[in-house]
Amino acid sequence: MSVAAAIPKRKRLSEGLTVTQKVFVRSRNGGASKIVREHYLRKDIPCLSRACTKCPDIVVPDAKNELPSFVLSESPLELPSIGKHYVVLDTNVILQAIDLLENPDCFPDVIVPQIVLEEVRNKSYPVYTRLRSLTKNSDDQKRFIVFHNEFNEYTFIDRLPEESINDRNDRAIRKACQWYGEHLKPYEIQVVLVTNDRLNRDATGKSKDSFISMSLFDYVQALPNGDEFKDSIPNFEVSAENVKDTEAKAEFTYPEYYSISRVMGGLRNGALFQGNIQISEYNFLEGSISLPNFSKPVLIVGPKNLNRAFNGDQVVVELLPQSEWKAPSSIALDSEHFDVNDNADIDADDSNSQPVLSDKQRKLLTQDAILAQKSNKIQPTARVVSVTRRSWRQYVGQIAPNSVDAQNGGVQNVFVILMDKCLPKIRIRTRRAHELLNQRVVISVDSWPETHKYPLGHFVRNLGEVESVQAETEALLLEHDVEYRPFSKKVLECLPPEGHDWKAPQSLNDADAIAKDPLLPRRRDLRDKLICSIDPPGCVDIDDALHAKKLPNGNWEVGVHIADVTHFVKPNTALDGEGASRGTSVYLVDKRIDMLPMLLGTDLCSLKPYVDRFAFSVLWELNENAEIVNVDFAKSVIKSREAFSYEQAQLRIDDPNQQDELTQGMRALLRMSIKLKEKRINAGALNLASPEVKVHMDSETSDPNEVEVKKHLATNSLVEEFMLLANISVARKIYDSFPQTAMLRRHASPPSTNFELLNEMLQTRKGMSISLESSKALADSLDRCIDPEDPYFNTLVRIMSTRCMMAAQYFYSGAYSYSDFRHYGLAVDIYTHFTSPIRRYCDVVAHRQLAGAIGYEPLDLSHRDKNKMDMICKNINRKHRNSQFAGRSSIEYYVGQVMRNNESVESGYVIKVLNNGIVVLVPKFGVEGLIRLENLTKDTSSSSFDEVEFKLSFVQSTTGKRRDVHVFERVDVQVRSVLDQVTSKRKAELLLL
């Protein structure tokens, strides 16, 4: 317990510097200790207004000997009712209206008090990063500054006795406004505090002459172009328009969330559980949550049990009584076509009444639930009683046409159907409903009151017409949180001033070059090696190159040379921060979203042929059996002899007329790669599969014109094996040197429950099974899953097995014990990513750690700090996952465009059988789709679903004959691309023939 002393007195240390003290008495374990905290205050903290003539005379340089930039305009926005003014924002306005603040056409000159910035950081880190981006990148349109009111002698205030922290912070914001108002009075610039807190506005009191307080709604209404922004005001029912609105309210209410004290108590005593909820991709009214000690995720079924939780939210749940436990749903139900006309809720079983159980009864129920998961198909169910962290972000969707009142030209409530089918539709208020029909729009979610059937949100911006390439591409980037805006001026300033004219020095002993780069003599000159790169066709960001040279003793010198990105990307720079934030490059069908500026990615770092480039080299001595005799690491300078595509390299290797030394080295690499792969497979490495396709674009029109399944050549495997070997070798080296913070990558073994359903299907339909005792047992059992009559069946099983695996993840070595470092899929004990630093930030960190490990240069402290490494790993894991989803969505969109005017009949495979349809995978296009029961038969009442045999029986519409469809069955389907009238999404429609 801590008790604060009386309001402390200030003590002057020197002219312009005072100190105040806070004294606490902390009692712990029966003992008391006195804590004294000193807080220093200064008089020379400037207002940062260009209109001010006083502050430039008192300001002093910072620790980097740089003067702060005065960015607030000397001629700020002038309004008839206010005059020329700057805006000060409180915390809640920033949290709720960050989309509006980012709009370039409003809020040009904004002051963010330090106390507000700190509160925003504590409440929402994503919003904080967006706010910091605004404050760091001022330009002619927007000028955001941070005013350090907590260190300014004139604006710092002490907390009063009995005053809450929130009230003290509100008073601090008003004090900063008062100081600014008085400070800028000679320049006739007003200060406007924008806050939705009525008590904060009313508390202006004696300060009302020095600044003005307004609500966000009133301030936006006062803007000359205010009507343009009213749709973007958060929907919290604070305006007179919204208070009168009863249209959004549901006929039923959701259960109230538990109080914080009840939640904390329940989590402590084991009556409640916390985790992240995942909504089923086939049924948006069914979710699941993974909990400790439970072998399977616990089900959450029905809207009231989901209780306003979004996919990905961190929630607290309690188990339901055994009488309400259920089997997982076998019905496909998406939010897009559910309650299209806003009908009453169809889940009649839901009610507000829940049996009241004591905490002791709930603990016993937990034991029963754990046992039930192991024994039968009826599974424990739970309900959400609190949402502890929202996953809300900006969402992309389109206005549902049937929610628009054609007769109403003014403000109205409309539904936005989101692109993510796991999420409910959002109700927004807009004046532009008719204008926004058939457009992709961005919205933000504001709240989901218990009295509203649907969440409330607001319009952010219009991306463009549905199905236009620009709108659809931007939509998928936003949906997957991919940063695609141009690099900022501060980032670009970190690039070499020579630009494309930068060249590696001819000599590593050149005095002028050493003066610029003192580490240059430590590099190894490898320009005499016959190095080449092998990549996909058209690759311009070449990360890696290889060479092989026969040694006098009969062994081979093999080198993997990786672009030396860290020579240009130094720690703690704006360029490094941007790379760390983006985490990875994102590859779409028609474009690439770079992690680093193009100057580096496609030129200075890229290991292009015929030019000198800096590299980080891994050099082995390998014998004929591809066994490592010796390994060495060195920063180097290389000169690639050629840049091959996979196909070009394969043709050169296979050409008997090519007997030059470079080709001989490539053949040696291929021979050794085959042996390396054989060793991995024997050790238990998995050979999984995914339905990968490639979309070909017309060279003149850039329109998609063909889809083909990706081909894998021997040269693909050649590159892959040596990149794996390099990653493993580097992982061992950096872990030896930095055992607590080495950047590594792990792949956990899958729990047997992940394969239960697949094994049941295989056993029932094919008499086969997948073994999970080890990765070797799994790999061998996959090899045995062969259907002599269908060569594709084995690939199908590997695709379905891939979906049962755990996701690989980045981590720092201090987070796990060595036994948990293992990469299950590769069957190695330790692994990292080192070979693609142009497009992955993990590799950048690994390069810095390797440079430290070999004594090339000291390792930055940020990569020795566990907390900072943890933040880096969490971010790059999320960004890596999002980039994969974005790439797949891009392929899905372009495949739809290819099929737009081309109906065809293709072979497909049934991969899931549901009560009301079947899911079919079409390998040729890499697409899968749900064929609903109503599209299979006219008489849905005569159909039957056998969940034991994984069979759906129905009378087929086209033939009138009864037909049974089983999982794994090969079927012929008509494939065509259709535009869904409700969602405005183009998707592959499959019809069973």
Side-chain angles (χ1 to χ4, degrees), residues 817-884:
S817 62
Y818 190 85
S819 59
D820 292 324
F821 290 6
R822 183 172 176 78
H823 196 294
Y824 183 84
L826 297 175
V828 292
D829 58 328
I830 191 169
Y831 189 67
T832 191
H833 273 164
F834 166 80
T835 54
S836 297
I838 291 176
R839 60 184 180 89
R840 287 190 308 232
Y841 191 74
C842 164
D843 305 54
V844 172
V845 177
H847 274 233
R848 289 175 181 157
Q849 291 182 334
L850 183 60
I854 64 174
Y856 181 82
E857 62 183 335
L859 179 62
D860 186 74
L861 292 177
S862 63
H863 302 321
R864 292 178 177 230
D865 185 296
K866 285 186 177 182
N867 292 329
K868 290 182 179 178
M869 286 297 293
D870 185 50
M871 289 179 62
I872 291 171
C873 291
K874 285 179 179 177
N875 181 64
I876 59 179
N877 279 325
R878 183 171 57 87
K879 294 292 189 177
H880 176 74
R881 184 172 61 251
N882 289 351
S883 71
Q884 289 182 313

Side-chain angles (χ1 to χ4, degrees), residues 21-66:
Q21 291 184 343
K22 294 181 181 179
V23 182
F24 299 88
V25 178
R26 174 175 294 166
S27 60
R28 183 177 294 171
N29 300 327
S33 58
K34 181 180 178 182
I35 298 173
V36 180
R37 291 181 181 166
E38 292 186 335
H39 188 83
Y40 293 88
L41 305 173
R42 301 171 58 152
K43 284 185 175 181
D44 59 356
I45 294 178
C47 67
L48 301 181
S49 169
R50 291 203 294 261
C52 179
T53 58
K54 294 177 285 188
C55 287
D57 294 332
I58 64 168
V59 71
V60 296
D62 61 16
K64 296 181 180 179
N65 203 33
E66 295 178 357

Side-chain angles (χ1 to χ4, degrees), residues 193-360:
L193 171 61
V194 177
T195 173
N196 286 332
D197 186 341
R198 183 177 55 81
L199 295 177
N200 205 6
R201 294 199 302 270
D202 294 345
T204 301
K206 296 179 182 179
S207 304
K208 62 184 177 183
D209 292 332
S210 59
F211 72 94
I212 303 167
S213 289
M214 300 179 74
S215 71
L216 177 64
F217 183 85
D218 291 338
Y219 179 77
V220 170
Q221 199 166 31
L223 296 174
N225 51 351
D227 285 344
E228 297 177 22
F229 309 122
K230 283 184 178 179
D231 285 358
S232 299
I233 296 176
N235 195 348
F236 285 98
E237 300 189 295
V238 292
S239 70
E241 296 177 69
N242 283 349
V243 169
K244 296 175 184 176
D245 175 35
T246 57
E247 190 181 342
K249 296 190 176 181
E251 297 175 1
F252 66 96
T253 59
Y254 290 98
E256 283 188 37
Y257 291 142
Y258 285 176
S259 65
I260 294 177
S261 59
R262 186 173 179 183
V263 167
M264 296 303 292
L267 290 173
R268 275 196 301 268
N269 64 29
L272 302 178
F273 304 91
Q274 183 171 269
N276 291 333
I277 190 169
Q278 298 297 321
I279 305 299
S280 167
E281 63 177 312
Y282 294 111
N283 186 342
F284 84 107
L285 293 181
E286 179 179 282
S288 62
I289 180 170
S290 296
L291 301 176
N293 301 324
F294 285 77
S295 59
K296 297 178 184 177
V298 174
L299 294 176
I300 305 173
V301 182
K304 292 193 176 176
N305 288 331
L306 289 168
N307 198 7
R308 296 167 282 158
F310 265 49
N311 190 35
D313 282 354
Q314 186 181 78
V315 300
V316 175
V317 300
E318 69 177 7
L319 291 175
L320 294 176
Q322 281 181 288
S323 59
E324 298 190 39
W325 293 0
K326 300 178 180 179
S329 174
S330 60
I331 295 176
L333 184 65
D334 59 57
S335 60
E336 303 162 347
H337 301 88
F338 175 76
D339 265 7
V340 172
N341 297 309
D342 196 23
N343 294 324
D345 198 327
I346 65 168
D347 197 348
D349 292 334
D350 283 334
S351 65
N352 283 327
S353 61
Q354 292 282 354
V356 179
L357 301 177
S358 68
D359 285 351
K360 184 175 180 180

Side-chain angles (χ1 to χ4, degrees), residues 128-165:
Y128 168 78
T129 57
R130 293 166 69 181
L131 179 61
R132 289 299 285 167
S133 178
L134 286 171
T135 60
K136 290 178 180 178
N137 299 307
S138 296
D139 53 33
D140 293 337
Q141 285 186 298
K142 297 190 84 66
R143 295 164 292 276
F144 276 60
I145 63 109
V146 176
F147 175 64
H148 294 275
N149 64 300
E150 293 295 283
F151 296 108
N152 189 314
E153 185 174 332
Y154 303 113
T155 58
F156 174 78
I157 61 169
D158 293 297
R159 185 177 167 191
L160 301 174
E162 308 301 323
E163 185 178 37
S164 71
I165 294 176

Side-chain angles (χ1 to χ4, degrees), residues 744-862:
L744 302 174
R745 185 166 174 81
R746 66 189 288 268
H747 183 210
S749 59
S752 58
T753 52
N754 284 20
F755 279 83
E756 271 186 6
L757 181 59
L758 178 56
N759 261 330
E760 283 181 31
M761 292 191 295
L762 281 170
Q763 187 64 49
T764 302
R765 301 305 313 159
K766 299 288 186 178
M768 303 173 182
S769 64
I770 294 174
S771 302
L772 297 168
E773 292 82 8
S774 65
S775 60
K776 174 66 173 169
L778 192 151
D780 291 343
S781 60
L782 286 174
D783 290 340
R784 291 193 296 269
C785 291
I786 295 174
D787 184 342
E789 298 180 2
D790 188 352
Y792 189 78
F793 175 72
N794 184 259
T795 303
L796 180 66
V797 174
R798 292 180 191 274
I799 289 171
M800 297 175 73
S801 295
T802 302
R803 299 176 183 184
C804 300
M805 301 295 291
M806 303 292 285
Q809 63 179 121
Y810 297 107
F811 70 104
Y812 66 95
S813 51
Y816 293 91
S817 62
Y818 190 85
S819 59
D820 292 324
F821 290 6
R822 183 172 176 78
H823 196 294
Y824 183 84
L826 297 175
V828 292
D829 58 328
I830 191 169
Y831 189 67
T832 191
H833 273 164
F834 166 80
T835 54
S836 297
I838 291 176
R839 60 184 180 89
R840 287 190 308 232
Y841 191 74
C842 164
D843 305 54
V844 172
V845 177
H847 274 233
R848 289 175 181 157
Q849 291 182 334
L850 183 60
I854 64 174
Y856 181 82
E857 62 183 335
L859 179 62
D860 186 74
L861 292 177
S862 63

